[in-house]
Amino acid sequence: MTLSLLGISFIDILKNEWLGLIASAFILISFLTSNQIKTRIINSVGCVVFIVYGFLLPAYSTAFMNSAMLVVHAVFLTKYFINKRKGNIKIIEFEDKYRDDMIFMVLEAKNALGRVPRLNDDLLDISKHYFLCGDKFWLAIDDNDRVIGCIGYNKYDNDTAKLHRLYVKYNLKRQGIGTALLNTAEQYLKSVNFKYSVVHLGGKEYFESKQFYPKHGYAEYADGFMRKEL
């Protein structure tokens, strides 16, 4: 004889609780990832399991709330992948008309890192510090014609270029913008026969740089400096 509560077998309850534990594990894992796209995908899986769990108990409020959350994730991810396919991010050479928007983007990015948003002198006059030196500076522009990223370089020696000011708008990180900017700079450097690119990692608040550059082939060669053979 099987014990029951309100007509529901304790064995069935135990079986269903495994679903609840699995769903909770997916939700927990989703918050441990630093990439918001991965977070939403993994969280969506947890929502689906919670929906099934809610209907089996039954606990319809659980099923309803997770259904609503699943819709939110689906809308966001659909927009993200549509925009990604459209290639709505443009990488262009710096133009003076974007200067103030670029400066605003950089100050926001620094503030998000917990830094006092101090403005670097070279950003006030890109032409003087880059183009008139024979170097380059690029911007990432979204489909609203707003600056969402930047990168530049200066000649370090005959074989080496030093990268500067790789910033991405603080709320658009981990969406491929930084990689697109870095690739643009590296491809250009190859085309003009540089053999190496180097970057200074900055202080401890720039912990993201220490994760980003090794993923793209950079290795530390001196304290606080990384280099890549192009």
Side-chain angles (χ1 to χ4, degrees), residues 33 68 122 225:
T33 63
D122 59 316
F225 286 87

Side-chain angles (χ1 to χ4, degrees), residues 9-10 34 47 49-50 71 76 88 91 104 113 128 132 153 156 169 210 216 220:
S9 158
F10 279 113
S34 57
C47 288
V49 180
F50 262 130
V71 170
F76 179 91
N88 62 325
I91 308 296
F104 180 69
L113 289 170
K128 175 183 176 182
L132 293 178
Y153 85 89
Y156 194 65
K169 190 171 179 64
K210 297 174 183 177
H216 293 83
E220 192 165 5

Side-chain angles (χ1 to χ4, degrees), residues 7-217:
I8 303 173
S9 158
F10 279 113
I11 294 176
D12 290 337
I13 292 174
L14 185 59
K15 289 179 180 178
N16 291 341
E17 284 305 319
W18 279 107
L19 279 177
L21 290 171
I22 293 170
S24 298
F26 274 109
I27 300 298
L28 176 61
I29 292 169
S30 73
F31 290 118
L32 296 177
T33 63
S34 57
N35 183 307
Q36 71 163 318
I37 302 304
K38 291 181 180 179
T39 295
R40 287 181 180 273
I41 292 172
I42 297 170
N43 201 282
S44 295
V45 175
C47 288
V48 170
V49 180
F50 262 130
I51 291 168
V52 175
Y53 171 75
F55 279 111
L56 288 176
L57 273 182
Y60 298 120
S61 60
T62 298
F64 173 78
M65 289 302 298
N66 281 276
S67 296
M69 184 60 70
L70 185 61
V71 170
V72 171
H73 288 322
V75 170
F76 179 91
L77 291 170
T78 298
K79 288 182 178 178
Y80 169 78
F81 287 113
I82 288 174
N83 288 335
K84 191 173 183 180
R85 282 200 302 271
K86 285 181 179 178
N88 62 325
I89 297 171
K90 297 184 296 182
I91 308 296
I92 65 170
E93 285 192 13
F94 174 85
E95 297 177 23
D96 284 334
K97 69 177 183 178
Y98 292 110
R99 192 197 75 153
D100 291 349
D101 199 23
M102 175 196 68
I103 289 172
F104 180 69
M105 182 275 298
V106 170
L107 292 177
E108 276 193 316
K110 289 185 175 184
N111 185 63
L113 289 170
R115 295 194 63 198
V116 175
R118 184 179 65 84
L119 188 61
N120 302 92
D121 291 340
D122 59 316
L123 296 179
L124 292 171
D125 194 340
I126 296 295
S127 294
K128 175 183 176 182
H129 290 91
Y130 294 92
F131 292 110
L132 293 178
C133 300
D135 304 320
K136 294 284 186 181
F137 200 95
W138 294 272
L139 301 174
I141 306 295
D142 68 10
D143 51 6
N144 293 315
D145 207 35
R146 296 295 303 273
V147 178
I148 56 174
C150 63
I151 191 173
Y153 85 89
N154 290 126
K155 182 178 179 180
Y156 194 65
D157 59 38
N158 288 334
D159 293 328
T160 308
K162 186 177 181 182
L163 300 175
H164 296 287
R165 314 303 176 217
L166 176 51
Y167 286 100
V168 172
K169 190 171 179 64
Y170 77 98
N171 60 344
L172 295 176
K173 292 183 177 181
R174 299 178 182 87
Q175 296 188 27
I177 301 169
T179 296
L181 285 162
L182 182 61
N183 288 343
T184 297
E186 289 180 347
Q187 288 168 11
Y188 177 81
L189 294 174
K190 288 179 185 178
S191 74
V192 292
N193 299 318
F194 280 105
K195 295 181 180 179
Y196 304 96
S197 61
V198 300
V199 61
H200 178 237
L201 298 177
K204 62 181 181 180
E205 66 271 18
Y206 286 106
F207 62 92
E208 293 173 318
S209 297
K210 297 174 183 177
Q211 300 170 358
F212 175 80
Y213 285 105
K215 293 179 181 178
H216 293 83

